[in-house]
Amino acid sequence: MSSPIDFNSKTILITGGAGFIGSRLAHYFQRNYPKARVIVFDCFRSGETFPHGNLVSFGHYKNLLGFSGEVICGSINRSEDLARLHDYRFDYIFHQAAISDTRVYNQEIVIQTNVNAFADILALAKKDRATVVYASSAATYGSQPSPQTIGKERPENPYGYSKYAMDQLANRFSRDNPDLSVTGLRYFNAYGAGEFYKAKTASMVLQLGHQILSGTAPRLFEHSDKIMRDFVYIDDVIQANIKACQPKKTGVYNVGTGIARSFQDIADILQRELGTDLGTDYFPNPYTGYQMHTQADISLTQRYLDYQPEFTLEKGIKAYLPEIKRLFTEENNEPV
Ligand SMILES: NC(=O)c1ccc[n+]([C@@H]2O[C@H](COP(=O)([O-])OP(=O)(O)OC[C@H]3O[C@@H](n4cnc5c(N)ncnc54)[C@H](O)[C@@H]3O)[C@@H](O)[C@H]2O)c1
């Protein structure tokens, strides 16, 4: 195992740094490497929505409360905004900015934001000789059978395709620039502090937690005991990002626990932890072609990144619960 990187004195760019995972990275560096220069670049939320009603971007200033690094409001889709990043010389770039909502079907905006803008981020990395860690996704696999394995992708929506195209772009870039490190992380279903402002696209851990706290039975699709996902706690996501910064980690890696759990498990664990017995309110699943089972094959991530998931679903929910409760009382359960 290589010795940990000292990020103090490094200049770190976090795109999408006002979002869920990006903001946790920003806080992580501030807490552990106070001498690092951390720059958050995010377009934040404007109130603009897509036709299905969800916000175009979820970045929220409250995710950055307590963060004292630099914050730049800008879009990765606008060259004049990206030009502001040329004033720096980055050592590390964590590229989280994206349309993260898997139900956006406007292909033009998804491919522009997730793929074309990534090419510009890679050009920036090339100029600065920066190490890049970027967010890919389990959505690249579509409904491929579990365990989902690198090399067996079949995306089934524009979002999943965009992440797959990012991986291919990164792969070509790495071939042309073998001395630079570009690592893609295929997050499975991440949950934890910082996701509240994603509203309806936040994890079911948070949504069910708030339903239970409001005294109503958790609402789940029928047969939710058989709908399985690989739920990964934010601290393990951060662990993967940090380990991906080690030299020569170029490639794409799954980031999950390697274990599939059901949505019913989440509701049951929450009720156990909260001491409630509200039962479950089942309703028919309105989606056709709904993914029934994900489970990350993390063998390559373990082997090459030395990644070891530390949070079972039970442990992650327990660690997250104080924040779920705080949001419920302080934010009045309204992510505006
Ligand atoms: N959370 C998960 O479970 C999960 C799973 C797989 C992949 N991912 C990927 O991880 C990354 C982070 O996801 P997240 O859950 O933190 O989502 P998020 O929506 O909270 O974060 C994305 C951030 O990017 C910003 N952004 C969007 N468009 C932008 C633009 N044009 N210019 C600048 N900033 C822009 C948003 O304002 C937001 O703050 C995304 O790339 C997402 O696709 C997340």
Side-chain angles (χ1 to χ4, degrees):
M1 198 178 85
S2 4
S3 59
I5 294 170
D6 182 4
F7 290 96
N8 279 311
S9 82
K10 300 295 185 197
T11 304
I12 299 168
L13 170 64
I14 304 173
T15 71
F20 168 30
I21 295 168
S23 66
R24 295 312 102 180
L25 279 167
H27 288 292
Y28 173 89
F29 285 116
Q30 177 167 299
R31 198 167 53 246
N32 294 288
Y33 301 96
K35 291 193 182 134
R37 185 175 184 194
V38 183
I39 293 99
V40 158
F41 182 90
D42 199 298
C43 66
F44 291 78
R45 60 187 56 204
S46 63
E48 192 188 342
T49 53
F50 284 119
H52 67 313
N54 288 353
L55 285 169
V56 166
S57 52
F58 295 113
H60 200 297
Y61 77 90
K62 284 196 180 175
N63 278 332
L64 292 170
L65 291 178
F67 170 70
S68 52
E70 292 157 66
V71 177
I72 299 173
C73 180
S75 171
I76 51 171
N77 289 332
R78 281 198 294 265
S79 50
E80 63 269 30
D81 292 353
L82 288 176
R84 303 188 61 177
L85 299 174
H86 289 263
D87 297 343
Y88 301 85
R89 200 202 148 277
F90 295 108
D91 298 295
Y92 295 92
I93 298 177
F94 295 88
H95 180 53
Q96 308 296 318
I99 290 178
S100 63
D101 184 344
T102 58
R103 297 200 183 279
V104 175
Y105 297 117
N106 177 334
Q107 301 188 20
E108 182 183 9
I109 186 70
V110 172
I111 307 300
Q112 163 62 43
T113 308
N114 293 5
V115 188
N116 295 16
F118 182 43
D120 295 332
I121 296 293
L122 289 175
L124 177 69
K126 184 171 173 176
K127 175 183 84 60
D128 289 355
R129 319 301 297 161
T131 292
V132 178
V133 182
Y134 70 92
S136 181
S137 172
T140 52
Y141 295 114
S143 353
Q144 289 290 83
S146 290
Q148 286 75 33
T149 307
I150 306 288
K152 294 188 179 161
E153 300 79 8
R154 204 173 187 288
E156 289 177 6
N157 56 31
Y159 171 81
Y161 171 76
S162 74
K163 293 290 178 176
Y164 184 50
M166 284 175 76
D167 294 339
Q168 292 172 316
L169 186 59
N171 188 271
R172 279 194 299 277
F173 179 85
S174 303
R175 268 205 319 257
D176 297 342
N177 300 277
D179 51 330
L180 294 180
S181 173
V182 181
T183 307
L185 299 176
R186 288 187 180 158
Y187 309 139
F188 278 61
N189 286 60
Y191 66 99
E195 63 167 323
F196 179 64
Y197 299 102
K198 292 177 70 175
K200 285 183 190 143
T201 73
S203 78
M204 288 307 288
V205 175
L206 180 62
Q207 299 194 43
L208 295 172
H210 281 178
Q211 287 168 22
I212 295 165
L213 285 169
S214 68
T216 56
R219 277 175 58 71
L220 286 177
F221 293 154
E222 287 162 353
H223 312 297
S224 276
D225 57 330
K226 297 192 179 60
I227 309 177
M228 317 291 280
R229 293 282 182 279
D230 191 329
F231 300 105
V232 58
Y233 189 56
I234 186 66
D235 288 21
D236 284 331
V237 170
I238 300 298
Q239 180 203 153
N241 273 274
I242 301 306
K243 288 184 170 169
C245 293
Q246 294 284 354
K248 297 197 170 65
K249 298 300 178 193
T250 286
V252 184
Y253 301 91
N254 286 337
V255 177
T257 60
I259 296 164
R261 301 295 299 271
S262 72
F263 286 103
Q264 187 73 56
D265 285 337
I266 295 179
D268 293 347
I269 297 167
L270 281 164
Q271 296 227 56
R272 212 157 47 234
E273 287 294 328
L274 292 168
T276 57
D277 190 11
L278 299 164
T280 308
D281 179 9
Y282 296 107
F283 64 105
N285 184 343
Y287 301 111
T288 47
Y290 194 70
Q291 200 173 30
M292 291 302 284
H293 199 288
T294 67
Q295 180 181 359
D297 174 351
I298 57 168
S299 54
L300 296 177
T301 330
Q302 290 174 308
R303 186 158 149 208
Y304 292 108
L305 296 193
D306 187 35
Y307 163 80
Q308 292 303 340
E310 288 176 6
F311 287 82
T312 60
L313 188 58
E314 282 78 1
K315 189 175 167 190
I317 288 178
K318 211 178 172 99
Y320 188 14
L321 257 181
E323 175 66 0
I324 295 177
K325 288 182 188 165
R326 185 194 70 78
L327 289 164
F328 186 73
T329 45
E330 288 181 21
E331 293 289 326
N332 205 15
N333 203 16
E334 278 299 316
V336 285

